[in-house]
Amino acid sequence: MLKNWWNSAKTQRKFFGVPLGVFVIAIISLIAGVVGWGGFNTAMEATNTLGFCISCHEMEDTVYQEDKTTSHYKNRSGVRATCPDCHVPRPWIYKMIRKIQATRELYHKAMRTIDTPEKFEEKRFELAKRVWDAMKSTDSRECRNCHNFNSMDPTKQKRRAAKQHASAREDGLTCIDCHKGIAHKPVHHLLEDEDEDEEDINEEISNKNTEEQNPKIIITEDNKATDDAIVNNATVITTPAKGSGKITWETVVDKDITLFYPGQASLEWVLKGSDHGGARVFKKGEPCSECHRGEEADMGARIISGEKAETVIIANKRPAIEAKIQTAHTNGRLYIRMQWPDGEHTPMPFVDGGKMDPENKIKLAMMISGDGLDMPKTAGCWATCHHDNRYMPDAPDNAAIDANGNITSRIDVASENGVTKYIPESRGKLEIKGRNGAKRGAWDKLKSDEEIKTLLENGSYMDLIRYNSGSNTADNGYILDQRIMGKGSDIEANGILKDGIWTVVFSRDLAGNNADGDIAIIPGKIYTVGFAIHDDYTDARFHHVTLDYKLGLDNPEVDLNVELR
């Protein structure tokens, strides 16, 4: 039967109604197509492997070695992302487009454009920008092969990551907006920040002081000051109830706090996105503590090692100090008690004898944010630290100081050996990004004497209390256009080192004295505060600091509840 059918097909020269020649050609073409497609696809996939990507030394000796140190290469889950996972699209049409684009790379391979480490480094930033731009244009398509907002569980992320991802989702950002340099040597600091213009930040700082002024306050034990208040357009605040007059610290609730080493992480550093990944969230008004509470010790370890925001490495200096703090008030006075372990001596490498302040083994400072201030409300005492302060990277040299006699005649740079802390509200434009080699900060853009006087009268400054172990006393002061110490005599302090533990107690009048730079601590108001410890005879920026904390009288909802005793 089969023979008859074949003979019939030959006679008719047809196969299932199709001319036999056409049918044979179709079969051969089909087989050739399958073989050809299989060969093409096999070759295509062969170029989509790690082995192929690092087959040239330009990749193997540079970016591959960098990738091997990241969590994309080795991690606790054992899931590894290789070169094509991040740099080659999975959808076929986009993959083909990428392969066609790759012929440019073959050309440059032949031309030996980056065949030495020196040539590669010269081109690195340009090459990185091309990758960032491509990822931005595709909404980080390759990243989203593994990472997706909808698949994230914020409850299992660190506070910082959860905040950043929520903000990114709200603002329509994509992975590469925040994660440049995630797998290779970071060079994104060379980019000009594009998320917010520097002029806008400075305008916000300038306007806050006029928008948020609080009325003048008269504090009294009764309402006898009502007439004075009307005359002076002030508000009368009755002082808290009298307490026992004695603090029994054993009955006061304590709180664990962590002070960490900040290095050269100035306010300008915090505001610059290529330095600080949280800059965008911070500029939106999120305080530092919202993202970083609980990871202070880790941050200190990264900074003290020189991995981030530090160039002066101090061998064996502890990255963080764990302390306990208690707050209380009685008879119209605020009391602060802090305890922490003493540390081993770690000599400062650039000071003869290793001790910057030989008279004081430790100093403990507290800052309280005043009214009408922007940055201190979210950054706490961080708002006073700038890139041009003494011992910081852009501290002015003698030539710059001499060239600004009109400024140095108004702030003390001589006895302080440089520019001290100041709040940004006391300056004009704050240089944040350091474009075209500009020095970051604003030490030489001091506002007029009249403007500084107005800020002082309005309580727009940082109140400062500092305990000195050498004299077992405390200084009263404030920070506005510069750091002013030794104002008034209301501060009382006492400290002791016993069994390897420091215990320091200082107190001040709740009402304070505005002329001395004291912020009045009144009922119903919440204050942003920060603490710093200069341990081991250190001075200036070589201290440990806290993030911002909220403090209030008899308010169990704040971080530091100042209880009546």
Side-chain angles (χ1 to χ4, degrees):
M1 176 182 284
L2 182 61
K3 183 177 180 181
N4 292 336
W5 173 83
W6 175 251
N7 290 332
S8 174
K10 281 180 64 178
T11 302
Q12 300 176 19
R13 298 181 180 274
K14 291 186 177 180
F15 188 65
F16 291 111
V18 178
L20 183 61
V22 173
F23 180 80
V24 171
I25 292 173
I27 290 294
I28 294 173
S29 298
L30 177 62
I31 295 173
V34 170
V35 172
W37 172 255
F40 174 78
N41 196 55
T42 299
M44 178 74 70
E45 291 307 312
T47 66
N48 248 23
T49 63
L50 174 64
F52 178 83
C53 292
I54 63 172
S55 60
C56 61
H57 78 89
E58 288 90 341
M59 296 296 102
E60 182 177 18
D61 296 343
T62 52
V63 290
Y64 177 56
Q65 299 306 318
E66 295 161 5
D67 179 57
K68 286 168 67 176
T69 65
T70 71
S71 58
H72 276 109
Y73 185 85
K74 192 172 185 178
N75 52 68
R76 65 181 181 276
S77 67
V79 177
R80 176 175 294 173
T82 61
C83 307
D85 291 316
C86 298
H87 295 287
V88 181
R90 290 182 179 177
W92 188 84
I93 183 64
Y94 298 115
K95 182 187 295 185
M96 287 300 301
I97 293 172
R98 178 68 188 96
K99 293 300 181 182
I100 293 171
Q101 292 171 340
T103 57
R104 174 186 175 129
E105 296 164 21
L106 296 176
Y107 167 78
H108 284 287
K109 169 67 176 176
M111 297 301 294
R112 304 176 66 180
T113 304
I114 55 172
D115 65 329
T116 68
E118 293 75 19
K119 290 181 181 179
F120 182 86
E121 288 301 325
E122 185 179 341
K123 293 284 186 180
R124 180 189 284 271
F125 183 52
E126 177 186 343
L127 296 171
K129 285 196 297 183
R130 288 179 183 168
V131 174
W132 298 334
D133 291 344
M135 287 185 167
K136 177 74 172 177
S137 67
T138 64
D139 192 22
S140 302
R141 178 181 53 218
E142 280 62 67
C143 300
R144 295 179 189 278
N145 288 334
C146 297
H147 307 283
N148 190 289
F149 281 135
N150 294 327
S151 302
M152 293 180 181
D153 183 353
T155 64
K156 294 182 179 179
Q157 295 176 341
K158 290 183 178 180
R159 293 168 61 109
R160 172 164 48 95
K163 284 282 183 183
Q164 293 278 42
H165 288 141
S167 176
R169 191 169 192 174
E170 178 184 331
D171 295 341
L173 300 180
T174 186
C175 309
I176 200 61
D177 285 315
C178 299
H179 293 288
K180 298 178 180 72
I182 194 67
H184 304 296
K185 177 182 175 181
V187 290
H188 54 286
H189 61 280
L190 299 174
L191 282 170
E192 294 292 352
D193 291 1
E194 299 173 354
D195 55 343
E196 185 171 351
D197 188 78
E198 195 166 285
E199 296 293 341
D200 295 337
I201 300 170
N202 281 285
E203 185 177 354
E204 288 177 13
I205 294 172
S206 177
N207 290 341
K208 285 288 183 180
N209 191 256
T210 57
E211 293 172 355
E212 299 186 6
Q213 290 302 327
N214 287 347
K216 294 180 180 179
I217 296 171
I218 294 178
I219 300 180
T220 179
E221 295 181 8
D222 49 36
N223 289 324
K224 293 178 182 178
T226 302
D227 292 339
D228 290 337
I230 294 173
V231 171
N232 293 287
N233 191 28
T235 298
V236 174
I237 299 294
T238 303
T239 56
K242 296 294 184 182
S244 64
K246 181 181 179 181
I247 305 294
T248 304
W249 291 110
E250 289 75 15
T251 64
V252 178
V253 175
D254 61 38
K255 182 179 182 67
D256 293 328
I257 65 173
T258 301
L259 300 94
F260 67 101
Y261 189 74
Q264 297 172 355
S266 64
L267 178 62
E268 292 77 29
W269 185 95
V270 170
L271 287 167
K272 186 176 180 182
S274 54
D275 285 340
H276 173 222
R280 184 179 289 105
V281 176
F282 176 77
K283 291 176 206 174
K284 291 173 66 176
E286 289 283 3
C288 302
S289 57
E290 280 297 307
C291 287
H292 294 296
R293 182 81 76 225
E295 58 182 35
E296 294 96 328
D298 291 338
M299 291 192 297
R302 294 183 66 190
I303 293 172
I304 202 73
S305 68
E307 179 183 345
K308 200 173 186 71
E310 182 57 284
T311 58
V312 180
I313 308 303
I314 306 168
N316 301 318
K317 188 171 181 67
R318 50 183 169 174
I321 298 175
E322 303 296 337
K324 290 186 179 297
I325 188 170
Q326 296 166 283
T327 55
H329 71 96
T330 186
N331 283 354
R333 290 188 70 81
L334 167 71
Y335 289 84
I336 306 289
R337 182 179 191 244
M338 191 178 292
Q339 295 180 297
W340 71 92
D342 192 28
E344 296 293 329
H345 179 49
T346 55
M348 302 299 283
F350 54 85
V351 177
D352 290 341
K355 298 178 180 179
M356 297 183 71
D357 184 4
E359 295 182 1
N360 293 291
K361 184 171 185 180
I362 65 103
K363 297 189 289 282
L364 170 64
M366 174 184 180
M367 285 192 204
I368 307 170
S369 178
D371 296 324
L373 301 180
D374 179 23
M375 291 299 172
K377 283 190 175 181
T378 50
C381 59
W382 223 283
T384 68
C385 179
H386 298 276
H387 229 62
D388 51 13
N389 290 155
R390 55 193 181 135
Y391 295 106
M392 292 291 278
D394 287 338
D397 57 21
N398 291 334
I401 290 174
D402 292 341
N404 287 275
N406 60 323
I407 303 298
T408 56
S409 65
R410 297 168 57 199
I411 61 174
D412 183 6
V413 297
S415 63
E416 295 288 355
N417 297 316
V419 178
T420 66
K421 294 177 181 291
Y422 58 86
I423 60 172
E425 286 79 1
S426 70
R427 296 309 200 268
K429 178 183 176 182
L430 197 67
E431 178 61 44
I432 295 169
K433 300 170 186 175
R435 291 191 180 107
N436 301 317
K439 300 293 186 181
R440 296 163 72 181
W443 81 274
D444 56 346
K445 298 178 177 63
L446 186 61
K447 290 183 177 179
S448 68
D449 287 335
E450 188 61 33
E451 290 173 298
I452 299 299
K453 181 181 178 183
T454 299
L455 288 168
L456 183 60
E457 291 174 347
N458 289 333
S460 300
Y461 50 80
M462 296 289 285
D463 188 359
L464 173 61
I465 305 170
R466 188 180 68 188
Y467 167 77
N468 307 297
S469 64
S471 58
N472 201 33
T473 59
D475 291 328
N476 192 19
Y478 65 91
I479 296 175
L480 203 169
D481 53 330
Q482 61 183 320
R483 186 184 63 189
I484 301 293
M485 298 301 294
K487 297 286 290 184
S489 58
D490 177 57
I491 307 300
E492 296 177 358
N494 183 61
I496 187 173
L497 175 61
K498 183 178 180 180
D499 298 328
I501 300 294
W502 279 101
T503 300
V504 174
V505 178
F506 51 63
S507 70
R508 51 151 282 192
D509 190 76
L510 284 172
N513 185 338
N514 182 253
D516 293 336
D518 297 335
I519 301 296
I521 309 297
I522 61 178
K525 192 169 181 179
I526 297 175
Y527 302 83
T528 302
V529 300
F531 300 88
I533 293 176
H534 282 91
D535 74 330
D536 199 22
Y537 308 98
T538 55
D539 196 17
R541 73 170 182 83
F542 299 97
H543 54 7
H544 292 79
V545 299
T546 66
L547 298 172
D548 53 287
Y549 283 92
K550 302 302 180 186
L551 176 145
L553 294 180
D554 303 304
N555 184 347
E557 301 300 318
V558 297
D559 301 316
L560 301 175
N561 178 22
V562 184
E563 305 174 43
L564 175 64
R565 291 290 153 175

